[in-house]
Amino acid sequence: MTEVSVIIPTYNRADFISECVQSVLAQTLPAREIIIVDDGSTDATYNILNDLGFKSISTPKTVLRYIFQENQGVSSARNLGIKEAKSEYIALLDSDDLWLKGKLDKQVIAFRGDIQHRRLCHTEEIWVRNGIRVNQHKKHKKSGGNVFQSCLKLCCISPSSTMLHRSVFEDFGFFDEDLPACEDYDFWLRYSSKEEVIFINEPLIIKKGGHSDQLSGVHWGMDRFRIYSLEKILNEPDLKLDYRIAAIREIILKMEILINGSQKRKKKVYAKTLLEKKQYWEDSLRRCFND
């Protein structure tokens, strides 16, 4: 039987965490373990999880583990959970999202039937904002196979929808703990530059949005973090030429947007730095065609 460890990082999500955990316990394929890494919560998170049985004890089907750390960010919490996991497969879940029944089962079946032996599977999703179901934009359309070009624009894989073979982290490393946001964009970019993904075209998660503590609402200029990730991938010496050209074009586009935003915010020094970087990448793009 394929074993799955579920990793849930959380921080002050007492209003969401119980329903999130219950959606895992209701799966048709029981997880081997559910590991919750509390990233320094100061609300009632611990009390709620304690009532649910998260005391590092075993139930007949699933081990429930609670790990507390001082606040270090979502990447640190998620990475700690992954490193503690015991199973062959790792399923990620954000503490404000929910799984629909059969999510784990269908992903395990997808892995077993995949003749290409791909190591990352994600699914379609339902979006709920402030309690109301909303439609996704075309730019958020999910797909399988080679998704690198799609990953350049924005995060096209939701962490809560993913299941990965644990060897992925051995080969690609973990989530970048220097990133306060867009750490998922960074990871999928690294992975998709080398390997393809499995996609289940069926909504198997509910992705919640609209609450004030979401990272996209906390940080201005999210493209700052995406540019950082694009620079990282462009420094990879073995990046395919067509990927390199596409990534350079995308980083130039994101820099133009950020330069305009920085100038409006009167961040003149930062805007000047971006202009210099933009010139560098424009020169690099020309060299790609001249070499």
Side-chain angles (χ1 to χ4, degrees), residues 10-64:
T10 192
Y11 175 67
N12 285 345
R13 289 269 175 81
D15 291 340
F16 299 98
I17 193 65
S18 178
E19 190 179 16
C20 172
V21 169
Q22 295 293 351
S23 77
V24 180
L25 293 173
Q27 290 295 300
T28 51
L29 174 68
R32 174 184 180 181
E33 58 184 354
I34 305 172
I35 301 174
I36 292 188
V37 183
D38 186 343
D39 191 38
S41 294
T42 56
D43 61 4
T45 292
Y46 172 77
N47 293 333
I48 292 169
L49 293 173
N50 187 60
D51 290 342
L52 287 171
F54 280 83
K55 304 173 184 177
S56 297
I57 61 172
S58 176
T59 70
K61 293 183 179 179
T62 303
V63 173
L64 308 178

Side-chain angles (χ1 to χ4, degrees), residues 167-288:
S167 62
V168 167
F169 301 103
E170 296 166 6
D171 294 344
F172 291 91
F174 295 86
F175 290 90
D176 190 328
E177 297 184 15
D178 290 330
L179 280 167
C182 297
E183 79 295 335
D184 45 355
Y185 172 91
D186 179 86
F187 190 87
W188 313 139
L189 201 61
R190 279 185 278 145
Y191 179 89
S192 65
S193 70
K194 298 288 195 303
E195 295 188 21
E196 295 188 353
V197 306
I198 303 170
F199 174 60
I200 299 176
N201 191 16
E202 177 185 352
L204 292 175
I205 74 164
I206 296 175
K207 186 175 175 63
K208 294 183 180 180
H211 33 284
S212 60
D213 67 339
Q214 287 188 291
L215 295 178
S216 57
V218 173
H219 301 283
W220 75 272
M222 297 287 279
D223 274 341
R224 289 180 297 154
F225 311 125
R226 298 186 185 106
I227 286 170
Y228 164 87
S229 298
L230 286 164
E231 287 180 323
K232 279 172 57 181
I233 204 71
L234 283 166
N235 284 326
E236 292 290 332
D238 58 345
L239 187 66
K240 296 178 183 177
L241 180 59
D242 57 334
Y243 286 5
R244 183 171 299 278
I245 290 170
I248 292 174
R249 284 175 171 159
E250 188 61 36
I251 201 171
I252 291 171
L253 177 62
K254 291 190 186 307
M255 283 181 174
E256 287 173 349
I257 295 169
L258 204 52
I259 287 166
N260 291 334
S262 299
Q263 289 172 337
K264 288 178 181 178
R265 289 172 174 267
K266 302 189 184 303
K267 297 180 179 292
K268 295 181 180 178
V269 175
Y270 184 57
K272 183 181 177 182
T273 300
L274 284 175
L275 281 166
E276 292 171 353
K277 283 189 173 185
K278 178 172 170 283
Q279 183 63 58
Y280 170 81
W281 289 116
E282 287 172 340
D283 292 341
S284 296
L285 185 61
R286 281 190 287 272
R287 286 195 295 273
C288 286

Side-chain angles (χ1 to χ4, degrees), residues 91-159:
L92 305 178
L93 178 56
D94 289 343
S95 57
D96 55 342
D97 294 336
L98 304 174
W99 285 349
L100 299 178
K101 272 190 178 181
K103 192 261 188 190
L104 291 184
D105 226 337
K106 291 176 181 179
Q107 287 188 297
V108 166
I109 290 169
F111 275 118
R112 288 176 181 165
D114 183 42
I115 60 174
Q116 298 181 53
H117 303 293
R118 290 169 290 186
R119 297 188 288 170
L120 189 158
C121 175
H122 72 123
T123 79
E124 189 54 88
E125 57 199 26
I126 294 170
W127 281 16
V128 173
R129 181 173 292 275
N130 296 319
I132 300 171
R133 182 166 178 170
V134 297
N135 295 324
Q136 300 178 42
H137 298 123
K138 287 183 178 180
K139 66 181 181 179
H140 297 113
K141 183 177 175 60
K142 309 293 185 291
S143 62
N146 184 339
V147 298
F148 180 77
Q149 301 271 7
S150 300
C151 286
L152 290 171
K153 293 289 181 185
L154 74 173
C155 187
C156 65
I157 299 174
S158 295

